[in-house]
Amino acid sequence: CSSDLDPLKKSEYDLLMADKRLGAAEILVNEGKVNLAITTLSKSGNYFYLAIQQATLAKKQGKNADEIISKLVTASLKHQQVIFGMEEKTRGAARLVLQVSQQRAGDFQKMAEELKAK
């Protein structure tokens, strides 16, 4: 994705990639491919973080980022829900890693809500 894109579009794109990776991770857990699922989920989180950064940038540039910020809040809740479901299907170290991922999604929710309040 080229860096000369409008930060609002970039944020939308990054959120889409985060959602796609989350969906893939969920399928992988269901197939018992937990390690690959964790790697995929980590990439999802990285994209989510980028989406928040881009939304923040858009807002700093004076653009109306309300729509994407609302999407980020909603998506972060959905991500937490899906990750929790993945946790239920794993145990041991993998489950702990997923709990950290869920915490990260919770942090994204806080970041998005703070951005919304600005």
Side-chain angles (χ1 to χ4, degrees), residues 7-8 11 50-60 65 68-69 72 115:
L8 286 174
S11 185
L50 288 172
I52 292 172
Q53 296 304 101
Q54 290 297 323
T56 305
L57 180 64
K59 200 154 181 171
K60 279 184 184 150
I68 185 64
I69 293 166
L72 288 166
L115 190 58

Side-chain angles (χ1 to χ4, degrees), residues 57-95:
L57 180 64
K59 200 154 181 171
K60 279 184 184 150
Q61 290 176 355
K63 295 185 163 112
N64 182 350
D66 294 349
E67 190 184 334
I68 185 64
I69 293 166
S70 290
K71 280 185 187 173
L72 288 166
V73 171
T74 305
S76 65
L77 292 166
K78 180 70 181 161
H79 278 235
Q80 290 173 74
Q81 193 181 353
V82 171
I83 296 165
F84 182 76
M86 290 163 64
E87 276 174 43
E88 300 284 283
K89 294 174 184 160
T90 56
R91 52 192 89 266
R95 189 169 191 155

Side-chain angles (χ1 to χ4, degrees), residues 21-38:
R21 297 287 185 302
L22 178 73
E26 188 177 23
I27 291 165
L28 288 164
V29 163
N30 291 341
E31 291 175 353
K33 298 173 184 165
V34 177
N35 289 339
L36 189 54
I38 287 169

